[in-house]
Every structure is written in structure tokens, then in C-alpha cells.
Amino acid sequence: KVVWNAIDCKVDENRKEGEITYLSESIFGYSENLTSFTFGNKVKTIPSGLCRDLPLQSISIPESVETIEEFALRLSSRSITEIYIPAGVKLIEKGAIRSSNLEKFIVDKDNAVYASQDGILYTKDFSKILEVPSNLKGEINIPAVTENVLEDKYWWKDNPLTAINIAEAHETLSSIDGVLFNKDKTILYHYPNLKEGEKYIVPSTVATIDTMAFANMYLKELEMSDNVTKIELAAFYSMPALEKIQLSNSIKEIPHAAFMYSEALETIVIPEGVESIGVGAFMGCENLSMAVIPSTVKKIGTEAFIMQGTNLRNVYCYATTPPIMSDGESEYKY
């Protein structure tokens, strides 16, 4: 017995508890007011879309469940922070469990297929990350055997982490004080969002700063050595506290959206040797008052310095030939 848009949903009182063994796909999906749902204790499969976008206040997966299908528990609730996976679960399809405020998966130690550590869902042998909570918090430790950490980079870019520690024996990755690098530390992949400190000096081994490596960080000051030769797309995107940055003298390009919405930045001196400034590189840097463009710049992307309520008063461009303006695809001259 189901009453649509009810606050509660459970088996009809006239039935014996646990008598229901099968549930159809999406039967409760998109029920905007359904905040409570109780499974029978003989249900073996949670089907695709069963509870999709429900604002549930709690969810409990019964011990009888063996399969959780795609989108089965894609919830809109912010109340659920933990999901417990019982010992009998044998298959969790990709994207089966999502919730906007989910902080951790907890897997029963006797489960033969899955395991969890620091809230992340792994295969039993920890060789693969399967699911990462959408609100994973704090310090995490990646085992030496985990192979697919970089498969989907945005899981660690979008979560409020203080440190990503890589086991020393890992073959392809490493970390220093919770900052993520490749094994030989020539690529800086990620500086955790909530890592403490106002200033960071990039290690001298680093040659490449990866896409969005410092995005959404609250650092005030950042320095890099001249060993850095490449900065990837949006590397310093939306750093609201960044006031000062020392760029490498070896870079040739300021990429698209490099400093977009880094609102506290007041002055930028682009090193001699840089040949191009990407589309929207400093867009939204509302407090930027001075920009120095060296003689080597040949190309400037559209809206590279566009911002609302701009304080930009002084632009020094030392190029003797006017740079070509580019929208990232076509190029033209002013």
C-alpha cells in the first residue's frame, strides 16, 4: 500500500513483515515529500531508480540485499551522511548510491566483494576506487595497490579535504604533506581544498601544475621555481584569498581561465618569455588594479581581463607588435 507524496512509506500493515521480496524500478522516484522508506528483510535487489531524487531523512539497506542497481539510491536529501553496505551485497552498479551530503561509505568487514577506507568505497583488495562520497571530508590515505586514483580527477577536486596521503610503495603517485603528486614529483596534481596554511612554495622538482590543481583554495600567497615549465587549464581558478603569486620565468603560456575569479589578486606581472594569455585568464579578478604584459606576448585571449566593477587602472604592455586577439579557436587583430 503506497500513498504518493506521503511523509512515510512502508509495507501494508496487513502483510507480515518482510513478505515483500521484489520491488520494481523507479516506483518511488521523484516523490517530493517521501522522507522515510523501510525495506522488507527479504528484498534481494534494490532496482534502478527506486528511490531516485527522494528527500529521505534516513536509509537502511537490509542484510538480505545482494544487488544495488544503477541510480537505485540517488537521493536529494542532505540528511544522510553515511551509507552502510551489508556483508551480503555482491554487486553495486556504477552510480547506484549518491547523496548530496554523503560523507562516507561503511562496508561490513565480512563483505567478500567490497571494502571501505576513510569513507571511500573500494574493491575488496583495494585495487580500485569504486565510489567516492560527494562530501568526503578530512584526511584520506590511499593504499599502495590502488590503481585508478586519477581516473576521475574531480572526486578529489570537489571535496573538502585536508590531506591526500599516498602510501610510499605506490608505483605512480606520491604526496608531500598531503599534497598530491606523480611518483617523481614533477607533476603537482592537487592541493587539498581545506589544507591549513596561507602560503605555499611549490617544490623545485615540479615541472607541471595540473588542471585546477589549486582551484578553490584559500591560500594568500603562492610561489613556484623556474623549473615549472607548464601550467594547465584553470590551475588557479577561483582562489578567493590569493593576493600574491610568483610565476615561473620558464612558462610560455598563461592558459584559459588560469586565475578566473581569483578576486583578491591586485597585481599580476607576467614573466618575460610568456607568448600567450588564454581566454578568460583573469576574468572576474575584481580587485586586479595592475597588469604587466611582457614584450614576448603574441596572443591574448578574449575576455582575458574582463571583470565587473573592475579596479584595473594600469596595463603595461611591452610588446612592440600588437598581440593577436583569440577566442580560443579563431584569431584576429585589433
Side-chain angles (χ1 to χ4, degrees):
K1 181 179 179 181
V2 175
V3 181
W4 294 104
N5 292 324
I7 300 302
D8 229 4
C9 181
K10 51 190 172 184
V11 178
D12 190 301
E13 292 178 358
N14 295 321
R15 289 183 178 273
K16 293 179 181 179
E17 184 180 355
E19 193 169 309
I20 289 179
T21 60
Y22 175 78
L23 295 167
S24 181
E25 290 187 10
S26 303
I27 57 174
F28 304 123
Y30 307 104
S31 299
E32 295 181 357
N33 297 318
L34 188 59
T35 58
S36 176
F37 183 90
T38 304
F39 291 98
N41 61 16
K42 290 186 179 180
V43 171
K44 291 190 174 183
T45 298
I46 302 178
S48 178
L50 177 73
C51 297
R52 188 166 185 175
D53 289 336
L54 296 186
L56 298 182
Q57 301 301 307
S58 63
I59 191 77
S60 179
I61 300 171
E63 296 291 334
S64 59
V65 167
E66 297 179 357
T67 300
I68 305 173
E69 294 183 352
E70 184 181 24
F71 306 130
L73 300 175
R74 295 285 291 255
L75 309 174
S76 61
S77 171
R78 294 190 62 82
S79 300
I80 297 174
T81 59
E82 298 181 1
I83 292 284
Y84 170 73
I85 309 297
V89 175
K90 300 175 182 177
L91 176 62
I92 302 173
E93 294 186 357
K94 186 69 175 176
I97 304 172
R98 298 285 172 85
S99 186
S100 59
N101 209 33
L102 188 63
E103 297 177 9
K104 62 176 67 176
F105 291 96
I106 302 172
V107 179
D108 190 287
K109 62 181 178 58
D110 293 326
N111 190 294
V113 181
Y114 301 103
S116 60
Q117 179 173 293
D118 300 329
I120 298 173
L121 180 65
Y122 290 87
T123 53
K124 185 65 175 180
D125 62 359
F126 291 96
S127 64
K128 289 186 178 181
I129 292 173
L130 298 176
E131 291 286 355
V132 176
S134 56
N135 195 30
L136 183 68
K137 291 183 176 182
E139 181 173 341
I140 61 171
N141 300 278
I142 303 296
V145 295
T146 306
E147 302 168 354
N148 66 333
V149 178
L150 300 182
E151 191 172 282
D152 179 4
K153 295 181 181 180
Y154 292 96
W155 73 258
W156 33 261
K157 294 181 186 297
D158 294 339
N159 281 290
L161 301 176
T162 57
I164 302 175
N165 301 316
I166 304 295
E168 190 173 345
H170 201 286
E171 291 186 357
T172 60
L173 299 174
S174 64
S175 60
I176 302 175
D177 296 329
V179 180
L180 182 63
F181 300 86
N182 65 340
K183 186 65 175 179
D184 60 5
K185 300 177 179 62
T186 57
I187 302 173
L188 191 157
Y189 287 120
H190 185 59
Y191 185 97
N193 302 50
L194 295 184
K195 180 176 169 59
E196 293 185 357
E198 294 186 348
K199 179 178 179 179
Y200 183 67
I201 300 174
V202 176
S204 60
T205 56
V206 173
T208 299
I209 296 177
D210 197 35
T211 300
M212 298 186 76
F214 289 92
N216 304 310
M217 306 303 146
Y218 285 86
L219 290 167
K220 288 186 176 181
E221 188 173 350
L222 184 62
E223 292 183 10
M224 65 186 76
S225 74
D226 290 343
N227 290 331
V228 174
T229 57
K230 189 172 185 179
I231 296 171
E232 298 286 3
L233 179 73
F236 313 105
Y237 177 86
S238 188
M239 295 183 67
L242 185 66
E243 298 174 354
K244 181 179 179 182
I245 185 165
Q246 178 180 309
L247 292 168
S248 166
N249 290 308
S250 301
I251 58 175
K252 299 295 183 185
E253 177 185 15
I254 305 293
H256 299 335
F259 294 90
M260 185 180 282
Y261 301 122
S262 293
E263 299 171 356
L265 193 63
E266 295 182 359
T267 300
I268 187 68
V269 178
I270 298 171
E272 192 76 20
V274 170
E275 298 178 356
S276 67
I277 301 172
V279 173
F282 298 93
M283 178 187 287
C285 296
E286 295 181 358
N287 289 301
L288 190 66
S289 60
M290 185 178 77
V292 178
I293 301 171
S295 62
T296 51
V297 170
K298 301 174 183 178
K299 184 192 302 183
I300 298 178
T302 55
E303 300 183 333
F305 295 94
I306 294 294
M307 57 213 82
Q308 294 182 352
T310 179
N311 288 315
L312 189 61
R313 297 290 182 270
N314 300 294
V315 178
Y316 300 93
C317 182
Y318 293 100
T320 55
T321 301
I324 292 171
M325 305 306 293
S326 169
D327 61 7
E329 296 178 2
S330 59
E331 296 179 354
Y332 53 93
K333 291 183 178 181
Y334 270 158

